[in-house]
Amino acid sequence: MTTSADPRVTFDYAPAPESRSIVDIKASYGLFINGEFVDGHGKAFKTVNPASEEVLAEIAEADDNDVDLAVRAARRAHRSWSQMPGAERAKYLFRIARIIAERSRELAVLESIDNGKPIRESRDVDIPIVSAHFFYYAGWADKLRYAGFGEQSLGVAAQVIPWNFPLLMLAWKIAPALACGNTVVLKPAETTPLTALLFAEICQQADLPPGVVNIVTGAGGTGQALVGHPDVDKVAFTGSTEVGKAIARTVAGTDKRVTLELGGKAANIVFDDAPLDQAIEGIVDGIFFNQGHVCCAGSRLLVQESVADEVLHRLKRRMATLRVGDPLDKNTDIGAINSAEQLARIRELSDVGDAEGAERWSPPCELPSHGYWFPPTLFTGVNQAHRIAREEIFGPVLSVLTFRTPAEAVAKANNSPYGLSAGIWTDKGSRILKMANQLRAGVVWANTFNKFDPASPFGGYKESGYGREGGKHGLEGYLR
Amino acid sequence: MTRADVRKTYKLYIGGAFPRSESGHTYVANDAKGRFLANAALASRKDARDAVVAARSAFAGWSGRTAYNRGQVIYRIAEVMEDRRPQFVDALSSTEGLTARQASSALDAAVDRLVWYAGWADKLTQVVGNANPVSGPYFNLSTPEPTGVVAVLAPQTSSLLGLVSVVAPVIVSGNTCVVVSSYARPLPAVTFSEVLATSDVPGGVVNILTGSAETIGPWLASHMDVNAIDLGGVAGSPDLATELEVAAADNLKRVRRAPLAEPDWSLEPELTAMTDFLEIKTVWHPIGV
Amino acid sequence: MLGGMVTSESEVETTPFRDLDVTRTDSSLHRFLHGLPGVDQVGAEQRAAALSSRSIKTSAKAYALDLAISMVDLTTLEGQDTDGKVRTLAAKAVRPDPSDPTCPSTAAVCVYGDLVATAKQALGDSGVHVAAVATAFPSGRAAMDVKLADTRDAVEAGADEIDMVIDRGAFLSGRYLEVFEEIAQVREACGGAHLKVILETGELQTYDNVRRASWLAMLAGGHFIKTSTGKVQPAATLPVTLVMLEAVRDFREATGTMIGVKPAGGIRTAKDAIKYLVTVNEVAGPDWLDPDWFRFGASTLLNDLLMQRMKLKTGRYSGPDYVTVD
């Protein structure tokens, strides 16, 4: 890692902190129900800055009653919201998109403080796509007859989102739901509620009719109450496969529509004719972007045996230039792990990797003394039977396996209960298309990785969930 | 003593700038009651020629932008128009003889029409394009592309909503255009061009010539560097429309024919308003290791 | 190493790799160059954009500005150049900021061959080098003996460095061995002078071509690979320079020989220059952060570097009145 006391010997980047002064974090937050902030009646909890363990704010917990109030508010608002001409709904969503763009720096800083991700990512990736997502779906609100999925809304949508891309996951849920005439009750993750609560303020600034969007903060209990509420028409969940299965069981026998966006263990496949320098970037992007807290992360590198040594050599050299540190420093590449629990899980699985006989390597790294940190890590000598090749670690840990032929690469890539995404690196177009055909994954990236766009559908095969978010296909889950 | 007001000169809008006609000619534009409003620039064939050059230069950049970006620019046009409500209400009242309430509704419709089109920018490909399941190991994809420079003869009666309804569908997909505005009702078009100039629309994407579709139309219809023409401005003049369509055949322009009478612009438009100015490109690629 | 001092002799020999199998025939050279890994345009440009987003402030910025100044080849290549113009350019190269003696000198001045003697005399023993363009710069379209004579004249007049152009016509037609031979011969005509090989990346068009031309130039004995003549648009760009930095990094790994990189033309602001230094740092590595191994071919850049330097020192934004016109 780049550290040197003498700047004349190496080019030492001085601290380049983004100012925190733009955000105004309150001491405590309530729930957002029916257009207003109200008290919660569960047990309040704290949200913490994972880079420093500093307590940021006290957050209300919505108990069963609070959840019920929110669902009722959404139900009442649904009548007029769904009957409003699509062109009018569109204009509210356009307003929200524009206000997000106006307050983008504030949102980015808040996201980095609450989540731990580098400001460069929240500023250049997360927030711009959030705004674009609302802008894109705004345009569908009055064009539903061209999509082919019906034109009726479902009703009230219960939406539960994870902590890895807090505001982006909120956008992926709320934008299409509202465009199609639904109203929503959304629960952000308990470790990352702040941008959702700022979003509530933005809904007020946009004069969104009360009850169309409701935000109920809380943890597992709140989520269960919300998903299990009898007057909810649709459940949308992004999170772990385990909880996804529990939700699928809960809604069984009801009329509730469900979409699930769950875990993954994507294979990033590198052939000997890959554009090598860009493939290295793609591998690094694939697993170290967002600290590896990405469901579609390229967490298995499948490298063609003939080029494995070369790729590993270049990869290690590249990993040594990654900067781990303060999320608010504009030069940070890898930020903090989101929570103590997640850090423990990453450590546990990495220890399993050691025990299984894989060889661990990390570049030398100076980690801060406070906060939750894990260095970018790779394991070589991994095979399909290893737990670190099968289980989602959800951290900056790459498992490296080899293959000899395209058929073997496909077989290994598909040999998983998951099927969210895959990457292919080769100079040959026909091979890309052949592999893409055969890979059982909802998103295939060729000669690139971790690219997201509101116009592009995203979602998995098999135990990575069902349903798609983004694009025209993203409307299907919210219409009948 | 009443204050003498500073009256605006009505100019053309070409390449992002506001020149007078190179011919130096103007014509009298009256309000709905026949009273003098202004001397509007009378566009000549050379102005039309210059406008086509400007539209052609702007095409690569405009069509090269992301669809999302084009959508944002068109939404911005709507924002700025909304913001200039009083000015447009004034223009519509005097030009079309509407009451303030009617003019305000007409502006609402025009702004909403722009917002509708802004939302199409990054969806058109998803509705009009698709992969094709050919019989063989080939990946086959059809996508729409903008045709190029489009000549638009804008409606004669609906001077704002009609104008917006023929310009937006052309540019949303990346085409650029040369527009001949309503002869008798040029004021809203001039005000509209001022909105375009302040809405992040690159110069040359839309060019507006105040003048006569009868005079300028034939020059645009026969211009070999114009790819398509919308004949809506000569609705109700079938002989002229036919002449123009014949001239357009010289380089096989795509022609959007003039209806018998100007339509009801308040109805939601058909997709043909956009697809008439698109080419479908189909690409094949083998699938194999 | 900071400051305007550049060692006059490279410590590593760069004679042409004539005895390798790859350079023996046109087809073997062709196969080698086309066997190098391809460059994905979108990926390469994305990496360059990410490196451009680094935020270099305070002490890091001060270091980078002084380093950048010491790496400038202060250039004048106009038909209307005169002895007078070259003399004032030389004075500025030695002492860029008359009000601040701590400001480093530039690495070199870069002039046409027939003005080398004037430049040499004006620079005296300041340590600033004289680089001369040669080989029918900028087009390279002349007979070989004319191009070699051009080179020899400049060397005899005292040039420390020669910036040659490759024959882009031959390259784009695939006559790689011909291009190799030309470079090798010019290298020999240079004697003790260092050879920079201008690829004219704006005419090569693709990053794959830039990678191949870089390797070709390095195999043929160049000390430096240089992006552009500055007479063709586009001149230097960050992604092109990134590809060339990858090439020199890989070449050193493969052969042990270190080659320098010089982007030229189109780098006008200090902000741009700093992006290049970040790219050097993270792609080739800190060994290249030295005027011996990295240069900026520029003219207006120097004044912006000086104004930024003044702002760091005084805290105030500067203006054109506070830097010299030449």
PDB file of all heavy atoms in Angstrom, chain A residues 200-220:
ATOM      1  N   ALA A 200     -36.930  10.604   2.691  1.00  0.00           N
ATOM      2  CA  ALA A 200     -38.285  10.953   3.140  1.00  0.00           C
ATOM      3  C   ALA A 200     -38.475  12.470   3.088  1.00  0.00           C
ATOM      4  O   ALA A 200     -39.509  12.979   2.654  1.00  0.00           O
ATOM      5  CB  ALA A 200     -38.519  10.435   4.554  1.00  0.00           C
ATOM      6  N   GLU A 201     -37.422  13.173   3.514  1.00  0.00           N
ATOM      7  CA  GLU A 201     -37.457  14.640   3.446  1.00  0.00           C
ATOM      8  C   GLU A 201     -37.613  15.113   2.005  1.00  0.00           C
ATOM      9  O   GLU A 201     -38.309  16.085   1.713  1.00  0.00           O
ATOM     10  CB  GLU A 201     -36.106  15.165   3.945  1.00  0.00           C
ATOM     11  CG  GLU A 201     -36.154  16.104   5.099  1.00  0.00           C
ATOM     12  CD  GLU A 201     -34.741  16.540   5.474  1.00  0.00           C
ATOM     13  OE1 GLU A 201     -34.174  17.392   4.755  1.00  0.00           O
ATOM     14  OE2 GLU A 201     -34.216  16.006   6.474  1.00  0.00           O
ATOM     15  N   ILE A 202     -36.918  14.433   1.110  1.00  0.00           N
ATOM     16  CA  ILE A 202     -36.990  14.782  -0.310  1.00  0.00           C
ATOM     17  C   ILE A 202     -38.399  14.558  -0.840  1.00  0.00           C
ATOM     18  O   ILE A 202     -38.915  15.350  -1.638  1.00  0.00           O
ATOM     19  CB  ILE A 202     -35.936  13.995  -1.124  1.00  0.00           C
ATOM     20  CG1 ILE A 202     -34.547  14.526  -0.793  1.00  0.00           C
ATOM     21  CG2 ILE A 202     -36.203  14.087  -2.615  1.00  0.00           C
ATOM     22  CD1 ILE A 202     -33.401  13.743  -1.423  1.00  0.00           C
ATOM     23  N   CYS A 203     -39.071  13.521  -0.370  1.00  0.00           N
ATOM     24  CA  CYS A 203     -40.464  13.298  -0.771  1.00  0.00           C
ATOM     25  C   CYS A 203     -41.327  14.478  -0.330  1.00  0.00           C
ATOM     26  O   CYS A 203     -42.224  14.913  -1.060  1.00  0.00           O
ATOM     27  CB  CYS A 203     -41.016  12.020  -0.134  1.00  0.00           C
ATOM     28  SG  CYS A 203     -40.304  10.528  -0.829  1.00  0.00           S
ATOM     29  N   GLN A 204     -41.031  15.004   0.846  1.00  0.00           N
ATOM     30  CA  GLN A 204     -41.777  16.176   1.314  1.00  0.00           C
ATOM     31  C   GLN A 204     -41.471  17.379   0.418  1.00  0.00           C
ATOM     32  O   GLN A 204     -42.366  18.120   0.025  1.00  0.00           O
ATOM     33  CB  GLN A 204     -41.412  16.502   2.764  1.00  0.00           C
ATOM     34  CG  GLN A 204     -41.935  15.494   3.771  1.00  0.00           C
ATOM     35  CD  GLN A 204     -41.494  15.811   5.195  1.00  0.00           C
ATOM     36  OE1 GLN A 204     -40.360  16.261   5.421  1.00  0.00           O
ATOM     37  NE2 GLN A 204     -42.364  15.574   6.157  1.00  0.00           N
ATOM     38  N   GLN A 205     -40.205  17.562   0.077  1.00  0.00           N
ATOM     39  CA  GLN A 205     -39.832  18.690  -0.787  1.00  0.00           C
ATOM     40  C   GLN A 205     -40.497  18.595  -2.149  1.00  0.00           C
ATOM     41  O   GLN A 205     -40.783  19.608  -2.794  1.00  0.00           O
ATOM     42  CB  GLN A 205     -38.299  18.758  -0.982  1.00  0.00           C
ATOM     43  CG  GLN A 205     -37.568  19.418   0.150  1.00  0.00           C
ATOM     44  CD  GLN A 205     -36.074  19.611  -0.127  1.00  0.00           C
ATOM     45  OE1 GLN A 205     -35.491  18.934  -0.975  1.00  0.00           O
ATOM     46  NE2 GLN A 205     -35.460  20.520   0.602  1.00  0.00           N
ATOM     47  N   ALA A 206     -40.736  17.368  -2.587  1.00  0.00           N
ATOM     48  CA  ALA A 206     -41.352  17.165  -3.897  1.00  0.00           C
ATOM     49  C   ALA A 206     -42.875  17.237  -3.815  1.00  0.00           C
ATOM     50  O   ALA A 206     -43.561  17.057  -4.829  1.00  0.00           O
ATOM     51  CB  ALA A 206     -40.922  15.814  -4.468  1.00  0.00           C
ATOM     52  N   ASP A 207     -43.400  17.481  -2.598  1.00  0.00           N
ATOM     53  CA  ASP A 207     -44.851  17.505  -2.398  1.00  0.00           C
ATOM     54  C   ASP A 207     -45.524  16.207  -2.807  1.00  0.00           C
ATOM     55  O   ASP A 207     -46.653  16.225  -3.307  1.00  0.00           O
ATOM     56  CB  ASP A 207     -45.487  18.676  -3.177  1.00  0.00           C
ATOM     57  CG  ASP A 207     -45.168  20.004  -2.522  1.00  0.00           C
ATOM     58  OD1 ASP A 207     -45.245  20.078  -1.279  1.00  0.00           O
ATOM     59  OD2 ASP A 207     -44.813  20.951  -3.251  1.00  0.00           O
ATOM     60  N   LEU A 208     -44.824  15.107  -2.575  1.00  0.00           N
ATOM     61  CA  LEU A 208     -45.422  13.810  -2.872  1.00  0.00           C
ATOM     62  C   LEU A 208     -46.627  13.622  -1.950  1.00  0.00           C
ATOM     63  O   LEU A 208     -46.546  13.892  -0.755  1.00  0.00           O
ATOM     64  CB  LEU A 208     -44.390  12.700  -2.611  1.00  0.00           C
ATOM     65  CG  LEU A 208     -44.754  11.292  -3.062  1.00  0.00           C
ATOM     66  CD1 LEU A 208     -44.822  11.214  -4.585  1.00  0.00           C
ATOM     67  CD2 LEU A 208     -43.737  10.295  -2.523  1.00  0.00           C
ATOM     68  N   PRO A 209     -47.765  13.191  -2.494  1.00  0.00           N
ATOM     69  CA  PRO A 209     -48.932  13.024  -1.627  1.00  0.00           C
ATOM     70  C   PRO A 209     -48.617  12.130  -0.433  1.00  0.00           C
ATOM     71  O   PRO A 209     -47.952  11.092  -0.580  1.00  0.00           O
ATOM     72  CB  PRO A 209     -49.959  12.375  -2.559  1.00  0.00           C
ATOM     73  CG  PRO A 209     -49.576  12.798  -3.922  1.00  0.00           C
ATOM     74  CD  PRO A 209     -48.074  12.910  -3.909  1.00  0.00           C
ATOM     75  N   PRO A 210     -49.087  12.492   0.747  1.00  0.00           N
ATOM     76  CA  PRO A 210     -48.788  11.723   1.956  1.00  0.00           C
ATOM     77  C   PRO A 210     -49.245  10.273   1.810  1.00  0.00           C
ATOM     78  O   PRO A 210     -50.302  10.004   1.235  1.00  0.00           O
ATOM     79  CB  PRO A 210     -49.594  12.430   3.038  1.00  0.00           C
ATOM     80  CG  PRO A 210     -49.880  13.779   2.512  1.00  0.00           C
ATOM     81  CD  PRO A 210     -49.900  13.670   1.026  1.00  0.00           C
ATOM     82  N   GLY A 211     -48.435   9.367   2.347  1.00  0.00           N
ATOM     83  CA  GLY A 211     -48.819   7.957   2.339  1.00  0.00           C
ATOM     84  C   GLY A 211     -48.334   7.181   1.125  1.00  0.00           C
ATOM     85  O   GLY A 211     -48.339   5.956   1.135  1.00  0.00           O
ATOM     86  N   VAL A 212     -47.897   7.878   0.110  1.00  0.00           N
ATOM     87  CA  VAL A 212     -47.426   7.158  -1.083  1.00  0.00           C
ATOM     88  C   VAL A 212     -46.113   6.440  -0.766  1.00  0.00           C
ATOM     89  O   VAL A 212     -45.888   5.301  -1.152  1.00  0.00           O
ATOM     90  CB  VAL A 212     -47.243   8.125  -2.270  1.00  0.00           C
ATOM     91  CG1 VAL A 212     -46.576   7.430  -3.443  1.00  0.00           C
ATOM     92  CG2 VAL A 212     -48.589   8.699  -2.688  1.00  0.00           C
ATOM     93  N   VAL A 213     -45.245   7.130  -0.039  1.00  0.00           N
ATOM     94  CA  VAL A 213     -44.007   6.502   0.448  1.00  0.00           C
ATOM     95  C   VAL A 213     -43.991   6.556   1.969  1.00  0.00           C
ATOM     96  O   VAL A 213     -44.227   7.613   2.551  1.00  0.00           O
ATOM     97  CB  VAL A 213     -42.762   7.236  -0.083  1.00  0.00           C
ATOM     98  CG1 VAL A 213     -41.503   6.782   0.654  1.00  0.00           C
ATOM     99  CG2 VAL A 213     -42.587   7.003  -1.571  1.00  0.00           C
ATOM    100  N   ASN A 214     -43.756   5.428   2.590  1.00  0.00           N
ATOM    101  CA  ASN A 214     -43.637   5.357   4.051  1.00  0.00           C
ATOM    102  C   ASN A 214     -42.353   4.619   4.375  1.00  0.00           C
ATOM    103  O   ASN A 214     -42.038   3.615   3.735  1.00  0.00           O
ATOM    104  CB  ASN A 214     -44.822   4.596   4.646  1.00  0.00           C
ATOM    105  CG  ASN A 214     -46.146   5.225   4.239  1.00  0.00           C
ATOM    106  OD1 ASN A 214     -46.612   6.184   4.833  1.00  0.00           O
ATOM    107  ND2 ASN A 214     -46.741   4.694   3.170  1.00  0.00           N
ATOM    108  N   ILE A 215     -41.600   5.163   5.337  1.00  0.00           N
ATOM    109  CA  ILE A 215     -40.331   4.523   5.702  1.00  0.00           C
ATOM    110  C   ILE A 215     -40.416   4.083   7.160  1.00  0.00           C
ATOM    111  O   ILE A 215     -40.652   4.917   8.053  1.00  0.00           O
ATOM    112  CB  ILE A 215     -39.148   5.500   5.560  1.00  0.00           C
ATOM    113  CG1 ILE A 215     -39.154   6.176   4.190  1.00  0.00           C
ATOM    114  CG2 ILE A 215     -37.826   4.813   5.844  1.00  0.00           C
ATOM    115  CD1 ILE A 215     -38.517   5.426   3.077  1.00  0.00           C
ATOM    116  N   VAL A 216     -40.283   2.779   7.412  1.00  0.00           N
ATOM    117  CA  VAL A 216     -40.317   2.276   8.779  1.00  0.00           C
ATOM    118  C   VAL A 216     -38.959   1.657   9.089  1.00  0.00           C
ATOM    119  O   VAL A 216     -38.535   0.692   8.455  1.00  0.00           O
ATOM    120  CB  VAL A 216     -41.445   1.242   8.980  1.00  0.00           C
ATOM    121  CG1 VAL A 216     -42.801   1.922   8.841  1.00  0.00           C
ATOM    122  CG2 VAL A 216     -41.347   0.092   8.013  1.00  0.00           C
ATOM    123  N   THR A 217     -38.279   2.243  10.050  1.00  0.00           N
ATOM    124  CA  THR A 217     -36.958   1.732  10.409  1.00  0.00           C
ATOM    125  C   THR A 217     -37.115   0.630  11.455  1.00  0.00           C
ATOM    126  O   THR A 217     -38.091   0.583  12.208  1.00  0.00           O
ATOM    127  CB  THR A 217     -36.068   2.857  10.954  1.00  0.00           C
ATOM    128  OG1 THR A 217     -36.842   3.661  11.862  1.00  0.00           O
ATOM    129  CG2 THR A 217     -35.602   3.752   9.830  1.00  0.00           C
ATOM    130  N   GLY A 218     -36.103  -0.240  11.492  1.00  0.00           N
ATOM    131  CA  GLY A 218     -36.161  -1.343  12.447  1.00  0.00           C
ATOM    132  C   GLY A 218     -35.267  -2.455  11.973  1.00  0.00           C
ATOM    133  O   GLY A 218     -34.509  -2.294  11.019  1.00  0.00           O
ATOM    134  N   ALA A 219     -35.352  -3.605  12.668  1.00  0.00           N
ATOM    135  CA  ALA A 219     -34.484  -4.734  12.316  1.00  0.00           C
ATOM    136  C   ALA A 219     -35.336  -5.909  11.845  1.00  0.00           C
ATOM    137  O   ALA A 219     -36.383  -5.708  11.228  1.00  0.00           O
ATOM    138  CB  ALA A 219     -33.630  -5.117  13.516  1.00  0.00           C
ATOM    139  N   GLY A 220     -34.903  -7.119  12.158  1.00  0.00           N
ATOM    140  CA  GLY A 220     -35.600  -8.307  11.645  1.00  0.00           C
ATOM    141  C   GLY A 220     -37.070  -8.353  11.998  1.00  0.00           C
ATOM    142  O   GLY A 220     -37.917  -8.712  11.182  1.00  0.00           O
TER     143      GLY A 220
END
